[in-house]
Amino acid sequence: DNLSNTREVTDNQKPDLIVVNHGTNDSGIKSDKFKSQLKKTIERLQERYPGVEIVYLIPFAQTHASDIKDVAAELEKITVVETADWDLTYTDTLHPDVAGAQKAGQKLADAIADKLK
């Protein structure tokens, strides 16, 4: 509903940049279905916010990493941020702890800054 065509986007709602981080919990979804749904989601964002750059963060667990890269390669204005070498610390095998989250935030900020240069 948040991406509904029935809701008008005003100037103060248009983002300068969209960061997407999803896919971690989709390990049970087959590749073709994941890619199809991801493409629809990104196209919807592009339709809703034309011209806004989208940064797609690969899930820390690398879930569907190749699928995400494949879809991003098909679309315009998508930057994929790889996280495989971020060497984060976790509370479990999936969720970064405070230090891991701070490190992830800094690495993402650095990746965005590099992209915007």
Side-chain angles (χ1 to χ4, degrees):
D1 289 341
N2 290 333
L3 295 177
S4 169
N5 282 331
T6 63
R7 299 177 88 191
E8 183 178 339
V9 176
T10 63
D11 287 340
N12 65 346
Q13 293 173 311
K14 186 174 179 182
D16 297 319
L17 178 74
I18 298 169
V19 178
V20 178
N21 179 15
H22 91 277
T24 299
N25 296 324
D26 297 325
S27 61
I29 298 175
K30 291 183 180 182
S31 178
D32 288 344
K33 183 173 183 178
F34 180 86
K35 287 165 64 167
S36 170
Q37 294 300 312
L38 175 59
K39 188 172 183 180
K40 286 179 187 178
T41 299
I42 291 174
E43 287 173 338
R44 182 64 174 210
L45 285 168
Q46 290 174 325
E47 175 185 312
R48 189 81 168 134
Y49 303 106
V52 175
E53 182 78 27
I54 297 174
V55 173
Y56 201 107
L57 190 65
I58 297 289
F60 303 135
Q62 299 299 296
T63 311
H64 290 287
S66 62
D67 295 336
I68 293 164
K69 291 173 187 176
D70 289 348
V71 170
E74 296 176 19
L75 301 171
E76 294 181 20
K77 289 194 160 275
I78 305 289
T79 299
V80 174
V81 175
E82 180 56 72
T83 62
D85 65 349
W86 283 11
D87 192 31
L88 304 178
T89 52
Y90 295 86
T91 60
D92 53 20
T93 59
L94 191 60
H95 301 95
D97 59 17
V98 172
Q102 289 173 335
K103 186 175 186 179
Q106 186 59 58
K107 290 206 172 262
L108 176 59
D110 292 346
I112 291 171
D114 285 347
K115 169 63 182 161
L116 299 178
K117 283 183 181 178

